[in-house]
Amino acid sequence: MGSITLKAVEKWYGEVQVIKGVDLEIEDGEFIIFVGPSGCGKSTLLRMIAGLEETSRGQIIIDGRDATAEPPSKRGLAMVFQSYALYPHMSVAENMGFSLKTAGAPKSEINEKVSEAARALRLEEYLERRPKDLSGGQRQRVAIGRSIVRDPTAFLFDEPLSNLDAALRVEMRYEIAKLHEQLTSSMIYVTHDQVEAMTLADRIVVLSAGKIEQVGSPRELYERPGNLFVAQFIGSPKMNVLPCTVSGGEFSLEGGRSGAAPGKDGAVHLGIRPEAIAIGETGTGHMDGVVDLVEYLGSDNFLVVDCGASGKLTVRADGEAVMKVGDKVGLTFADGKTHFFDEAGLAIR
């Protein structure tokens, strides 16, 4: 079992509140990812679950028991940090089995569990090497293996891939996804990388200023953001947001044209994803603009289009499209792909 429940959890440093009444239920076997901007409290919340930070108010329930006041060693959790924290004088096998050795486990049990973890992480051929002889990705796998041998209730990852280069990050995302599939253990993972969040998570918890903005699957958050913050935080490039007015079931754009918006009266912001905008001739569609920047990425072109009073919009186009700075274009928003938000920034469903 690996269920974890947070009930009205708060964290105060003196007079400063950094975690503001968080309620969250994590089911056994779920892969949960905390995302949010720097300083939003995601790592602090993870450390509170681990017991490395004291909980000022509220409860942390692990497998049905109140663990709020328990020390980290009693919670049955394993944490993988951004830094590998491996002992340089020990071999891979010794690093992975060290926690079991200090707990007084028999040598046969240590060898068995280290071998199982090494097989799961494809580290068998490296067991006798020292950390200095490993790549960054291999060291991170050793750090994960050190946690696996403890057979924890849940795994906690604090930005484990941030020290790796782009290619290794892709490789390790795959490794962690397959590991979760194999172990079926609960995992809570902190990252600022949206790609990691979107590709790994069963559910994403979006945090801002110490509180939860929205919880949902990657698809739910991308397609049905609950507010402007989530709409612009989830997705890369981020959602375009334009000022608008909506009345009588139609939206109007400043410097643009109108379109259908049934049931959205009162909205003051229109959101549209870059891939939901089609490029055509000027005078057609919802807006006209001038190409201000072209970013060629092979399979895609990302265009920044200056639409005057409505601002600059990012448009995702096919990589084969030949566009250049200064081109005049018309932009059409795909039917059913527009999002509307009220003055408070809340989505209008």
Side-chain angles (χ1 to χ4, degrees):
M1 294 292 289
S3 63
I4 298 173
T5 301
L6 309 183
K7 294 184 177 181
V9 168
E10 297 181 14
K11 178 63 181 178
W12 293 76
Y13 292 108
E15 299 297 316
V16 179
Q17 186 179 16
V18 294
I19 300 295
K20 303 172 182 177
V22 167
D23 292 289
L24 181 65
E25 290 198 10
I26 300 169
E27 297 179 5
D28 182 31
E30 251 196 317
F31 200 135
I32 295 289
I33 293 190
F34 295 167
V35 297
S38 179
C40 71
K42 53 188 184 292
S43 289
T44 300
L45 188 59
L46 189 77
R47 291 173 64 84
M48 290 167 67
I49 295 171
L52 300 176
E53 291 279 358
E54 182 183 353
T55 300
S56 303
R57 294 175 187 165
Q59 287 181 298
I60 297 176
I61 311 296
I62 300 176
D63 276 348
R65 74 179 193 281
D66 188 345
T68 312
E70 287 184 349
S73 59
K74 299 294 185 182
R75 299 193 181 198
L77 307 174
M79 193 154 181
V80 180
F81 295 95
Q82 180 177 340
S83 59
Y84 317 125
L86 301 177
Y87 296 106
H89 63 286
M90 292 184 183
S91 67
V92 167
E94 290 168 335
N95 267 285
M96 290 171 64
F98 185 72
S99 62
L100 295 178
K101 182 179 179 180
T102 57
K107 188 174 182 180
S108 59
E109 179 186 343
I110 295 172
N111 291 338
E112 181 183 352
K113 289 193 172 183
V114 168
S115 295
E116 288 177 0
R119 280 195 298 272
L121 294 164
R122 296 185 290 113
L123 288 170
E124 297 104 316
E125 62 183 284
Y126 306 108
L127 288 175
E128 299 307 315
R129 295 191 187 183
R130 298 290 190 270
K132 66 181 179 63
D133 301 319
L134 304 176
S135 69
Q138 290 164 348
R139 292 177 193 174
Q140 191 58 271
R141 295 212 301 271
V142 174
I144 294 171
R146 184 176 51 195
S147 299
I148 292 175
V149 299
R150 295 173 52 196
D151 192 23
T153 300
F155 292 88
L156 311 181
F157 295 88
D158 190 5
E159 302 201 42
L161 309 186
S162 57
N163 286 335
L164 305 181
D165 62 34
L168 277 176
R169 289 173 79 100
V170 173
E171 179 183 328
M172 283 304 301
R173 282 206 311 270
Y174 172 80
E175 299 285 355
I176 291 172
K178 297 304 290 183
L179 184 65
H180 178 249
E181 182 181 305
Q182 182 177 344
L183 299 178
T184 66
S185 300
S186 301
M187 293 185 176
I188 307 175
Y189 189 109
V190 165
T191 183
H192 61 274
D193 188 312
Q194 289 188 39
V195 175
E196 288 177 25
M198 296 291 282
T199 56
L200 289 173
D202 293 322
R203 288 191 299 156
I204 297 173
V205 179
V206 183
L207 291 156
S208 173
K211 65 182 188 298
I212 292 177
E213 294 287 346
Q214 191 173 353
V215 181
S217 70
R219 184 176 295 275
E220 287 170 347
L221 297 189
Y222 191 81
E223 295 182 354
R224 294 177 61 82
N227 56 45
L228 273 175
F229 178 85
V230 176
Q232 293 198 285
F233 191 82
I234 297 295
S236 181
K238 67 182 182 180
M239 180 185 287
N240 298 292
V241 176
L242 300 78
C244 74
T245 57
V246 180
S247 180
E250 283 198 339
F251 69 82
S252 298
L253 300 169
E254 188 174 353
R257 291 173 281 278
S258 61
K264 311 297 183 182
D265 285 18
V268 296
H269 302 285
L270 180 151
I272 186 77
R273 297 282 183 193
E275 68 273 15
I277 303 174
I279 300 173
E281 300 293 329
T282 56
T284 64
H286 297 102
M287 305 199 73
D288 292 333
V290 178
V291 176
D292 194 47
L293 178 67
V294 178
E295 293 182 329
Y296 174 68
L297 298 178
S299 60
D300 297 305
N301 273 319
F302 286 104
L303 312 178
V304 177
V305 180
D306 189 343
C307 295
S310 289
K312 295 180 179 180
L313 276 65
T314 301
V315 181
R316 181 178 182 177
D318 189 277
E320 296 183 0
V322 179
M323 305 292 297
K324 62 183 185 297
V325 172
D327 285 350
K328 295 180 180 180
V329 295
L331 304 179
T332 301
F333 303 159
D335 291 339
K337 296 294 185 179
T338 48
H339 303 258
F340 293 91
F341 305 89
D342 62 19
E343 287 188 4
L346 300 177
I348 300 176
R349 302 297 191 193

